Amino acid sequence: VVAAALAAAPLSIVDCSDRLPGLKRREGLSSWKVYDWKDDVWYSKPSDVPDDPFKKRKFVDTMFPPAEGSPIASEMKKCMRILPQDQDTGGFFIVKLVKTAPFNDEDGEGARTVEDVKDEEEVPEEAMAWKGHRFRKQELFPLLDVPEVVEKIKKFYSLKDTFPMHRVARTSQKCHKLHYLSKGAFPTLAYDKNSYLNVVHGGVKVMDHNDSKELECGHRPVQEGVKYFAPHMQARTLKVDDAALESLLLHEKPLNIWELVGLDFRQEAAQLTPGCVVLECTGLNKGGYLCGWKGRSSLGLFIATSQRNSLYFRLKGEDRPRQSKEEKKQNAAE
């Protein structure tokens, strides 16, 4: 984003390396690769992107680093990256930009002033848009208003009373998507009786819904917010060690129960009814939670391919990515 801004506008980065000397920081990156999670490959420059219309639209030139040795590449080093492991902090990206010349509009008629903006036609709130795309308001309602759904979730996952169900909101009357809100966010929405707020997105999604009528409970935790939900579950959880986890990561399709690694793991999985399960890692990723799905006679991970690959790298301690689809096909042919 910063590199694209420097290339498109008269901006420069202010060197703030002398500020807050006690704060550990790292300089900004001037080179990086772009990951294509679908094909599991990395692109170093725009010409590496396959000549495919869909990929050309997805991986645009501004996503790639500036040319090596260019003025923009030198400027990028003035950015600051604060990494959690350096000083027990949060992770932050800091950059201070300064305008070096007036911004010209697209017609080249000079920079717009505050008066120019005031004279423009006022845009109605309901038609607020960005680049032609309307903001879709997301209404949030307390889940406690639907007690039958609350009771079904509590019973199926045997939830402890410690889970703050009053901070869970639904996005529709059907309760298909459930969001977990912070302590301060929910009261703010509750007091907004006149809908002064236009909520675009709120909270972290903790549950989605499966419409299958064969399931005891259609609501399932999602990977995005499982860490907030899983510690309060007393049912539908399985402890998974590194060996069993590696086996699940290597197979994108669910494994038959008899194919699972570990006798205890197989027996516990076999006793579960169909539906969502949460796998609690006990090995290298101890304390982590992964969403899974138990079929009638199978079990598999319910996570994105990119997350699956990242976990596999961490588990195996590998610096290189797994084979791409093309490499797999080539090896299979050989």
Side-chain angles (χ1 to χ4, degrees), residues 19-92:
R19 306 292 180 89
L20 299 175
L23 180 64
K24 294 183 179 179
R25 71 203 75 186
R26 302 189 188 187
E27 65 179 19
L29 299 177
S30 58
S31 64
W32 58 84
K33 295 182 179 180
V34 179
Y35 181 57
D36 183 351
W37 64 268
K38 191 171 184 179
D39 290 340
D40 197 13
V41 295
W42 294 86
Y43 304 132
S44 300
K45 51 187 181 298
S47 59
D48 292 342
V49 180
D51 191 15
D52 176 79
F54 174 77
K55 290 191 179 295
K56 289 294 186 183
R57 289 195 301 269
K58 183 177 181 181
F59 299 99
V60 296
D61 292 353
T62 53
M63 297 173 65
F64 292 89
E68 185 177 356
S70 65
I72 294 180
S74 301
E75 283 284 293
M76 291 295 294
K77 295 182 179 180
K78 298 178 183 178
C79 300
M80 292 185 291
R81 295 179 297 133
I82 313 299
L83 302 185
Q85 63 268 29
D86 288 349
Q87 205 172 13
D88 192 20
T89 63
F92 301 95

